[in-house]
Amino acid sequence: MAELHLIGTIASARDFRQSRLFSKWSFSTGNGWKIINGCSEGQTQECCDPYSNEPVWDHPVDLHFTTKTLQGSPKALLQVFCRDDFNKILFVSYGVCSIPLKPGFHSIECHTWKPIGDWQDRLKDKFLGTTLQLKSPDVLVNADDRFELLTESMGIVRIDLHVLAKNFDKFGFTIQAGFCDINCCCDSDCTEHDSKVFSRCIDREIDKEKDSWYCHEKPFFRHNETRFIFKKIVDSLFCIASDNLPPMYSASSDLQIEDKSSFKNIISNNKPSSFKWKLDKKNISFQNFNVSSQYHYGDILWTINKNSLQPFDLPQSGFGKMCDFKKAVRFLEDWTSSCYQSNLTNNNIYLFPSNFINFTIIATPSKFNSQYIVQDCPKAVCQSINVFICSGSLIVCNANETVKTTCSENICYNAVKKIVYVIQHNGSEGIKSIDVHFRLANVSNSFKQEFEVRYKWINANESLIIERSGNPGYIAGKPIFVGTQLLNKTNDMEIKYIAFNKIYKYLTLPMAYKSGICSETERYPVKFLENIKLKCSIVVETSNFSTSTCVKLQNRTIEALTSFMTFKNFEQTNFDRQFVSKSGNISDNNTKSWTKIFFEKSPQNIISARITESEIQCSGLVTSVIFDIVHSLISKPGSDKNHVILGVQVAFSQGVDLKWPKCIGKNCTDILQLDVVSFVSFHDVSKPTRYHIAGGPNLDISLPYDFFYPFLSHSRSNGTTLKFKLIHIYITLCFIFKALLRIT
């Protein structure tokens, strides 16, 4: 689990027209994030600076988060207030800004704004100070919803933060084998039919500069499921419909590494590379209920409740901790939240399980008919909810159990403590079933109510989870796949292929427990473009020290360094069978798609032992290993982040002599401890990207036979007609000349 620690201040404000300001602040996170220490909301003191009009708050912020995902990273939500000349507190503006995940110091300038309405609202704001305010914080959290607001820019709030991050390199895209991952356009499990439910491509970025001279923007979108047409005509009479310019390539991946000597020549002049994370920006649009198509990712789910069509929403907290607002449940978006219920009366419908189940959810909008609101909706179109009453950690549950909830004198019996919706879907086919799990409890004071929404593919096997490395080619921060070469003999024919083992699937390194001892169960997967050094200790205890003890220590060391391989006997023939996937495609078992791992200085079990009066010694022990990985950009137009691995070399250290103090006394135990060190270094051999400009095409321009009629005709013409003819010729020649300049 990754951790994020934010230490800093809500520092100051500037460019506000008001002088006496204070701010209410809070930090909002998405699914999978949890605050384990610190206060996520607060209020600064009121401050006034009559000279520079830049009040300084320096209000402390100290928060500690844990997370299972990069999505829904923390955002700072601000409400700025002022005190007028009549000692009245007035609302000034809102502000929202994302918190960077990169470790280090960040000075964030949060631009604030306020909603504005019609001319009457503006007059009230001008003379009475009654500024419009939002009813729900959803508009602040979701940037797409704010496009529907008419706002006015206000001042800037500065936030100074020190960001500490831990284990964030362990998170990235994951893929379920045999099932389509939503919005992952490069997932080979996704069919054209599945991709109809996508709202964006989280694995595709277009960084190319747009040229307004083209009739359309390139590259084309593979699917256009929005109401917008991706075509832009320039503000000119002419535009370029097509050209003969070759695409931009980086052809360095054609480099072949055949043996150890060529590997050494390549890495000798290459230094380790560095990289920066790029976070995908969420781009989900708010839309109303649409019966013309199926649900897309991010669409609001709709219900039929009491003969009316309503969004499916659940309680959530606003700037405080109470359940004052509602959250619309969106298709394929997992969600987790909590808030506090204080109204312990029968009037609070959110204390009763019936409020969360007495409706049906529209499963397939494209089949929905408005008549279904007042009559029975077919099961293929609307899904009812399966109820489970659970105890403890929602493991032991009873189906369709009816429990009566009552409240009296600020005490409620069997009130809803936690709700978990499990929605099974089939992608573009819509929702197939809905289960809700309740955990009930007797409450007498304000209590915490928890909500969770999970989406699952129908009939999905959750055990088949493999982290993606990129497609096509590796991307920064993703694991490296390894495989073993096998030989298949049939009818006197030998066929070599690569077998991918789901147990030993990644290139891994030994990692330590908190005590420093090498873990026997957990290993650290090497991340692409991550230069790293790891160290842990191997411990062997013996009461009868001999050469076999040193051999045992050596075998355990080599096993720790090479546990990514599928064999346990360290023979040279087995070392020669280890391969790494070039582009991260594990479904291709062709040997041409994998590159061999070259082992330099393979370890030998030539170990000797020596005993003196006060020391014991093992000679020829291997204690470290170095991984050199050569890579380059993939030979693909428009790609600047996908790489292929050209070669991997593993070099073991020279044998060293280690000594330990000898145990003195009867029946004592000698403890042999050896430090194992692993190094990984990446070498980028990509060729510089160059633009190849094609020569200008030949132009074959023909004019109508009577184009120069005024000059060739012997007939007399008046001056006005001749003047218009000359203007016509001049304009035409200008357009032709402009086109020639653009092409050449």
Side-chain angles (χ1 to χ4, degrees), residues 666-724:
K666 295 182 179 180
N667 299 325
C668 62
T669 302
D670 291 312
I671 300 177
L672 285 65
Q673 182 170 340
L674 181 150
D675 290 337
V676 177
V677 184
S678 306
F679 300 88
V680 177
S681 181
F682 286 85
H683 307 270
D684 190 355
V685 295
S686 301
K687 292 180 181 179
T689 301
R690 295 182 298 172
Y691 288 91
H692 302 274
I693 306 300
N698 295 326
L699 295 178
D700 187 7
I701 301 177
S702 60
L703 300 175
Y705 72 94
D706 59 348
F707 185 82
F708 294 100
Y709 175 77
F711 304 99
L712 300 178
S713 175
H714 296 286
S715 61
R716 299 180 63 182
S717 60
N718 56 44
T720 303
T721 304
L722 180 61
K723 184 184 297 183
F724 281 111

Side-chain angles (χ1 to χ4, degrees), residues 292-401:
S292 62
S293 64
Q294 70 274 12
Y295 283 126
H296 292 79
Y297 177 89
D299 288 350
I300 294 178
L301 296 187
W302 291 84
T303 67
I304 299 178
N305 189 3
K306 298 179 181 179
N307 296 332
S308 64
L309 196 63
Q310 300 176 6
F312 179 26
D313 49 35
L314 294 173
Q316 74 166 5
S317 61
F319 285 103
K321 298 181 179 180
M322 310 309 296
C323 300
D324 297 329
F325 298 93
K326 294 181 181 180
K327 166 69 177 179
V329 178
R330 297 179 179 267
F331 186 55
L332 299 180
E333 282 191 6
D334 292 343
W335 178 70
T336 303
S337 182
S338 63
C339 57
Y340 282 84
Q341 294 283 0
S342 60
N343 181 17
L344 303 185
T345 65
N346 292 325
N347 296 326
N348 188 355
I349 60 175
Y350 297 109
L351 302 178
F352 298 84
S354 58
N355 178 71
F356 301 96
I357 59 177
N358 287 341
F359 52 83
T360 58
I361 293 181
I362 299 177
T364 52
S366 58
K367 300 179 181 179
F368 182 77
N369 190 306
S370 59
Q371 296 297 325
Y372 294 152
I373 298 178
V374 295
Q375 65 185 23
D376 292 338
C377 183
K379 186 176 181 180
V381 180
C382 303
Q383 288 287 340
S384 58
I385 300 177
N386 305 316
V387 182
F388 296 88
I389 305 298
C390 309
S391 61
S393 58
L394 301 180
I395 297 178
V396 180
C397 301
N398 298 321
N400 298 324
E401 182 178 340

